[in-house]
Amino acid sequence: MKCEELLDAICLDRLNDKFITLYGNNEETIKVQKERYVNAIKSFMTLYPKSEEISVFSAPGRTEVCGNHTDHQNGCVLAAAVNLDAIAIVSFHNDHVIRIQSVGYEQEFIELDHLNMHPEEKGTSRSLIRGMVSQFHDMGVEVGGFNAFITSDVLSGSGLSSSAAFEVLIGNIIDCHYHGAQAGAVKIAKMGQFAENKYFGKESGLMDQMVSSVGGFVFIDFEDTTNPVIEKHNCDFEEGGLKLIITDTKGSHADLTDDYVSIPSEMKLVAAQFGKSVLREVDEEQFYQSLPRLRNVCSDRAILRAAHFFGDNARVRKETDALDKKDFSSFLKLVCESGKSSAELLQNLYSTKKPIEQGIPLALMASKNLLKDCGAFRVHGGGFAGTIQAFVPLNLVKEYEKAMESLFGEGCCYILNIRPVGGYQVV
């Protein structure tokens, strides 16, 4: 579709059904998204004025509902795609170069004749793009190149997995145009994890990419990482009188890589004492019987983190079952149990390198004071800095939002809906 044609289609409400699918049916939200898309298209036209035919792609952020740091141990997770996303306005060409302008960043140029890892690119979006393209190349897919303008409201550091949304976005752009959409959601998720682990240089599990790519409310069992069990479930939190709210405590993620890496490293160290590579392969009863022996070879913290894995991994299925039965009371109790386990056993509420910066514990304390025995709250995502998750009774949403903003600033709360689809070609 040509740029002007797409602008007309948006203004004449011809894309409203797709916007409702992606963002919900709130009129004000649809209005905001229409303006967002129009501005993105106009920015694209300014950057690449010679482009004629364009396509539009979207990939969502995600919220982890249960299974905090269980995925990298081949455990289970319960998570959902949300109505915050990264969108790309794209035109394709055969110049063998990818040009990407993301809002707030310098323009990226990736020459497709050089797809090997570049050590100097570690930690950059260039590395993720190169990592995704290299895997399509290894599959025999000839990627000619493209120009793109990307804007995202999955803010970096928000705990909603902006990097996974970016990886899934790039994967869908290439797969849809150059590969006939043959790779599919699960393959693209695995490619995103590979790009993040190997090219970007960050060890991570597969949950973020899988939920962003698959979409919806998802139970995933990673026992067999080559063929994970993926179950889509239906859940309407508002039916239970609840709203899902993520609060960004605005903590800095700088210099936290060691904190994140320490969790899978310590869990795997415990697993190694049983001749296993990950904790999912370890018998829980044998683990507890071996505590005296483990203290001779593992740190106390490593042992506690392993105990968290066993507890939270079991809670994932319990929470899923509770939601399927619409037993919101049991669900909320399990959320609180998970949060307590993360605080006491996993110990990822703040960094020991920055002990006086405790935004997450502060947000949890304020949530407890406000919600009391109503709703539930817990650390969200990787932890150490960033976000908390709360399930707030509908009658307390405005009061809760006001209380969080008084602590962490206007716009710190994300009141979310579950998005039914993952990586998606809008046009």
Side-chain angles (χ1 to χ4, degrees):
M1 186 177 290
K2 297 185 184 301
C3 293
E4 295 295 346
E5 291 174 345
L6 183 53
L7 288 172
D8 287 343
I10 293 171
C11 293
L12 294 173
D13 297 336
R14 292 172 184 164
L15 295 185
N16 277 19
D17 286 347
K18 292 186 176 183
F19 287 153
I20 289 171
T21 296
L22 298 179
Y23 308 110
N25 58 6
N26 180 276
E27 288 186 12
E28 184 59 31
T29 298
I30 298 300
K31 178 182 177 182
V32 169
Q33 290 299 333
K34 287 171 64 176
E35 292 174 355
R36 178 184 178 220
Y37 275 67
V38 166
N39 290 336
I41 294 166
K42 289 181 177 178
S43 295
F44 175 89
M45 293 169 67
T46 300
L47 276 169
Y48 311 110
K50 295 182 180 180
S51 300
E52 294 188 4
E53 295 291 324
I54 61 171
S55 301
V56 182
F57 296 84
S58 163
R62 67 96 185 101
T63 180
E64 162 209 302
V65 179
C66 189
N68 198 211
H69 283 280
T70 53
D71 58 332
H72 50 66
Q73 299 301 299
N74 293 17
C76 300
V77 297
L78 179 62
V82 298
N83 58 324
L84 300 177
D85 66 345
I87 63 171
I89 315 300
V90 184
S91 65
F92 297 93
H93 53 68
N94 292 307
D95 297 345
H96 293 282
V97 63
I98 292 174
R99 307 178 185 93
I100 292 182
Q101 176 66 67
S102 297
V103 173
Y105 297 89
E106 294 183 1
Q107 192 170 25
E108 305 282 11
F109 299 87
I110 295 87
E111 295 181 359
L112 302 183
D113 296 328
H114 306 284
L115 296 178
N116 56 304
M117 282 185 276
H118 292 207
E120 73 278 6
E121 289 183 351
K122 292 275 188 179
T124 69
S125 57
R126 288 192 306 280
S127 67
L128 295 175
I129 299 164
R130 203 181 300 278
M132 294 300 291
V133 178
S134 71
Q135 293 173 84
F136 279 103
H137 181 267
D138 291 344
M139 292 161 56
V141 178
E142 185 175 347
V143 181
F146 57 87
N147 299 331
F149 178 84
I150 295 176
T151 181
S152 177
D153 54 16
V154 189
L155 299 179
S156 178
S158 66
L160 298 166
S161 201
S162 57
S163 59
F166 183 81
E167 295 151 15
V168 170
L169 187 69
I170 299 300
N172 273 271
I173 290 170
I174 298 170
D175 189 44
C176 288
H177 187 78
Y178 289 110
H179 193 40
Q182 294 182 53
V186 173
K187 178 65 174 177
I188 289 173
K190 293 177 180 178
M191 294 168 76
Q193 183 197 25
F194 179 88
E196 189 160 317
N197 289 176
K198 303 301 182 183
Y199 277 72
F200 188 84
K202 178 184 176 182
E203 286 297 321
S204 67
L206 186 55
M207 175 184 68
D208 295 349
Q209 293 84 358
M210 191 65 75
V211 178
S212 178
S213 193
V214 171
F217 199 86
V218 191
F219 167 90
I220 309 174
D221 186 338
F222 290 112
E223 185 172 20
D224 179 359
T225 55
T226 62
N227 188 30
V229 175
I230 303 169
E231 300 173 1
K232 277 204 170 187
H233 293 257
N234 294 317
C235 176
D236 183 355
F237 288 120
E238 290 198 29
E239 186 178 351
L242 302 167
K243 201 72 179 177
L244 169 60
I245 301 180
I246 301 296
T247 298
D248 184 1
T249 68
K250 308 296 178 69
S252 172
H253 286 75
D255 302 322
L256 293 180
T257 299
D258 292 344
D259 292 291
Y260 292 123
V261 170
S262 70
I263 294 179
S265 297
E266 291 179 7
M267 288 184 176
K268 289 176 180 179
L269 178 61
V270 174
Q273 309 314 311
F274 299 90
K276 307 297 184 181
S277 59
V278 291
L279 287 172
R280 180 62 180 269
E281 301 170 349
V282 176
D283 180 77
E284 183 178 2
E285 184 177 346
Q286 188 180 4
F287 162 75
Y288 280 106
Q289 290 174 349
S290 302
L291 291 181
R293 176 176 67 85
L294 290 173
R295 284 206 77 197
N296 293 324
V297 288
C298 301
S299 69
D300 292 341
R301 188 176 70 174
I303 296 170
L304 292 170
R305 285 175 164 174
H308 164 81
F309 167 81
F310 290 115
D312 228 35
N313 193 53
R315 264 186 292 271
V316 172
R317 178 53 79 182
K318 292 177 182 177
E319 284 196 19
T320 306
D321 290 344
L323 289 175
D324 284 345
K325 296 173 183 176
K326 300 181 181 179
D327 183 358
F328 291 100
S329 177
S330 294
F331 168 75
L332 294 174
K333 181 180 178 181
L334 289 163
V335 171
C336 289
E337 287 180 8
S338 178
K340 184 177 181 181
S341 180
S342 290
E344 296 179 355
L345 302 179
L346 187 59
Q347 300 178 41
N348 67 332
L349 300 195
Y350 64 92
S351 173
T352 55
K353 292 182 291 187
K354 304 176 182 179
I356 64 173
E357 296 181 21
Q358 298 196 24
I360 289 176
L362 178 61
L364 294 173
M365 179 271 288
S367 297
K368 182 177 181 180
N369 181 61
L370 178 62
L371 299 178
K372 296 183 172 56
D373 294 328
C374 302
F377 46 87
R378 62 189 280 271
V379 64
H380 180 254
F384 298 109
T387 58
I388 71 161
Q389 177 188 75
F391 295 92
V392 180
L394 296 177
N395 64 316
L396 292 177
V397 167
K398 291 188 180 298
E399 185 179 352
Y400 184 85
E401 183 180 21
K402 181 179 179 181
M404 291 297 107
E405 288 189 341
S406 71
L407 284 172
F408 304 109
E410 186 176 352
C412 69
C413 284
Y414 300 88
I415 303 174
L416 301 177
N417 295 322
I418 306 303
R419 165 168 155 160
V421 296
Y424 187 78
Q425 182 169 358
V426 183
V427 177

